[in-house]
């Protein structure tokens, strides 16, 4: 893949790690091809707004830049709503839609078919479990448990289950006999079958990395998760509960993520243009909502917003 070579050379020229040949080799080992069509593995509570980044990639779905997969645009059950329409608006050779009935699909025996096309976001298992238990919209099966600790024990290994088995994970994982070997298999699948693995804890960097790897513009709608604090829960309520299986999978996700940050030269500094561009698209959105129908060059959007606010003051 020539672009990998360029990345290696650029990293080298920029004075970053100059063991670029080694990096390149990693990249070639890592980057499964072909990438298309992408397949989104949606782990519960790991960021529906990531879907915004996927569907806005060039040529993937016929949606406007201002289309947002969110409550404001599609209502409370926005994700289900989107999957129902997905087959009509997205190009099947670019994107494999998830079924509306099981948005948190398991990929167990479909793994071989999806291998090399998968993208996902993951999260620290304990935060994931707290976020699911306290979710104000969906119960994620929490209703049948008496405490968050019982719930955490009940859904132990959910991500391992989703990656390796065909059992429904929504509302509850029915994987009751998972072993450490299953978690290692799940980690292997992440490493070998995923084009992209992002982290909820590093949301902005994940979105930026995603675009560095797969192209497309940074849009405001993709950063909606940033507005929620992934560390808002009190983990001491879990009384030291440790999901060791999903912990293995999460550690693998972290190391894949760190490695890709390096490979693609992605950092908070190098992502500033992406973050600024996303902010510009937010400004354009404000203009659109205020009835400013004429498309503006992105660069003019902030001035127009200031102007509008002065006029309406
Ligand atoms: C879907 O994508 C394929 C591959 O990029 C392309 O050849 C085809 O023209 C696209 N179809 C539509 C309807 O855009
Ligand atoms: C977290 O929960 C524990 C146990 O319920 C409590 O003692 C502690 O004060 C809480 N911490 C915060 C920051 O709320
Ligand atoms: C969970 O246990 C594993 C293995 O025993 C350990 O490496 C890890 O640090 C623990 N995680 C937490 C959050 O306590
Ligand atoms: C990037 O910046 C954010 C917010 O300023 C910070 O929370 C995060 O730790 C930084 N990440 C890295 C890898 O430097």
């Amino acid at each position: 893949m020539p672009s990998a070579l360029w990345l290696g050379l650029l990293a080298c020229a920029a004075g970053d790690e100059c063991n670029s040949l080694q990096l390149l080799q990693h990249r070639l080992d890592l980057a499964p091809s072909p990438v298309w069509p992408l397949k989104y593995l949606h782990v519960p509570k790991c960021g529906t707004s990531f879907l915004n980044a996927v569907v806005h990639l060039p040529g993937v779905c016929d949606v406007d830049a201002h289309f947002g997969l969110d409550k404001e645009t599609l209502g409370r059950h926005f994700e289900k709503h989107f999957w129902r329409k997905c087959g009509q608006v997205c190009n099947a050779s670019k994107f494999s839609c998830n079924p509306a009935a099981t948005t948190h699909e398991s990929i167990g025996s479909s793994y071989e078919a999806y291998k090399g096309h998968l993208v996902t976001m993951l999260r620290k298992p304990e935060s994931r479990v707290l976020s699911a238990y306290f979710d104000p919209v969906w119960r994620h099966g929490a209703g049948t448990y008496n405490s968050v600790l019982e719930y955490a024990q009940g859904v132990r290994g959910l991500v391992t289950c989703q990656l390796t088995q065909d059992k429904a994970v929504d509302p509850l994982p029915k994987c009751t006999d998972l072993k450490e070997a299953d978690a290692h298999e799940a980690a292997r699948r992440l490493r070998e079958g995923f084009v992209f693995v992002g982290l909820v804890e590093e949301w902005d960097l994940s979105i930026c990395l995603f675009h560095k790897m797969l192209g497309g513009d940074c849009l405001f709608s993709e950063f909606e998760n940033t507005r929620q604090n992934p560390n808002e829960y009190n983990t001491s309520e879990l009384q030291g509960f440790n999901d060791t299986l999903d912990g293995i999978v999460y550690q693998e996700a972290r190391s894949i993520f760190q490695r890709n940050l390096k490979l693609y030269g992605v950092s908070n500094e190098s992502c500033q243009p992406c973050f600024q561009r996303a902010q510009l698209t937010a400004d354009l959105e404000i203009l659109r909502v205020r009835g400013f129908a004429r498309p503006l060059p992105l660069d003019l959007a902030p001035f127009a917003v200031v102007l509008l606010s002065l006029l309406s003051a």
Side-chain angles (χ1 to χ4, degrees):
M1 199 186 269
S3 60
L5 183 56
W6 280 112
L7 278 169
L9 291 176
L10 285 175
C12 191
D16 292 347
E17 314 242 348
C18 225
N19 51 350
S20 54
L21 275 185
Q22 198 189 341
L23 288 179
L24 175 59
Q25 193 53 48
H26 269 306
R27 168 81 204 285
L28 293 178
D29 291 346
L30 277 174
S33 74
V35 167
W36 310 109
L38 294 181
K39 175 73 187 178
Y40 173 41
L41 175 77
H42 188 183
V43 173
K45 302 313 294 178
C46 289
T48 308
S49 79
F50 173 64
L51 196 47
N52 276 313
V54 182
V55 304
H56 282 110
L57 284 176
V60 170
C61 303
D62 187 14
V63 292
D64 291 345
H66 61 74
F67 169 82
L69 264 155
D70 50 32
K71 283 203 280 293
E72 291 74 21
T73 312
L74 295 176
R76 191 161 180 248
H77 299 159
F78 60 90
E79 194 191 354
K80 259 187 200 302
H81 188 94
F82 174 74
W83 291 127
R84 277 193 210 105
K85 295 267 189 288
C86 180
Q88 294 150 42
V89 294
C90 301
N91 184 334
S93 59
K94 293 283 203 156
F95 188 51
S96 308
C97 298
N98 290 9
T102 47
T103 62
H104 304 123
E105 204 180 353
S106 289
I107 57 159
S109 58
S110 317
Y111 171 70
E112 287 301 328
Y114 292 143
K115 186 174 164 183
H117 304 274
L118 290 153
V119 297
T120 198
M121 291 289 284
L122 292 177
R123 177 178 203 172
K124 202 164 173 283
E126 293 74 25
S127 317
R128 199 201 68 70
V129 114
L130 286 165
S131 167
Y133 188 79
F134 294 111
D135 187 331
V137 180
W138 298 104
R139 293 310 322 268
H140 298 279
T144 54
Y145 293 92
N146 295 318
S147 70
V148 64
L149 179 58
E150 269 184 34
Y151 178 69
Q153 285 159 344
V155 300
R156 186 197 293 273
L158 179 138
V159 181
T160 301
C161 179
Q162 207 175 352
L163 277 159
T164 60
Q165 320 274 317
D166 293 322
K167 309 272 169 63
V169 296
D170 222 3
L172 280 176
K174 312 283 192 310
C175 296
T176 49
D177 50 0
L178 291 169
K179 309 255 182 325
E180 201 176 307
D182 296 306
H184 289 297
E185 171 61 12
R188 189 186 69 81
R189 290 183 171 196
L190 268 193
R191 209 164 51 235
E192 296 180 2
F194 282 70
V195 192
F196 175 81
V197 178
L199 302 177
V200 172
E201 289 81 2
E202 292 283 3
W203 190 270
D204 293 0
L205 276 184
S206 297
I207 296 295
C208 175
L209 174 65
F210 180 79
H211 288 295
K212 284 260 157 71
M213 295 177 79
L214 291 159
D217 272 344
C218 295
L219 300 173
F220 184 66
S221 58
E222 304 163 1
F223 291 87
E224 292 193 37
N225 258 72
T226 310
R227 293 193 238 135
Q228 301 151 14
N229 178 3
N231 305 313
E232 65 195 308
Y233 302 105
N234 182 350
T235 45
S236 65
E237 289 187 40
L238 287 174
Q239 299 169 37
F241 167 80
N242 184 346
D243 189 337
T244 47
L245 298 185
D246 281 2
I248 289 169
V249 180
Y250 180 70
Q251 277 314 317
E252 187 67 39
R254 286 204 76 90
S255 83
I256 294 169
F257 184 72
Q258 297 301 340
R259 193 163 46 193
N260 280 337
L261 289 184
K262 258 197 188 160
L263 280 174
Y264 289 86
V266 168
S267 64
N268 273 335
E269 291 69 37
S270 76
C271 287
Q272 286 312 310
C274 160
F275 300 156
Q276 282 157 13
R277 198 165 171 84
Q279 190 51 51
L280 289 180
T281 68
D283 290 346
L284 277 188
E285 184 59 17
I286 293 173
L287 293 174
R288 196 184 65 81
V289 169
R290 299 231 191 127
F292 202 90
R294 193 179 297 277
L296 268 185
L298 263 186
D299 299 349
L300 291 181
F303 302 108
V305 168
V306 171
L307 201 63
L308 264 188
S309 62
L310 286 176
L311 288 177
S312 60

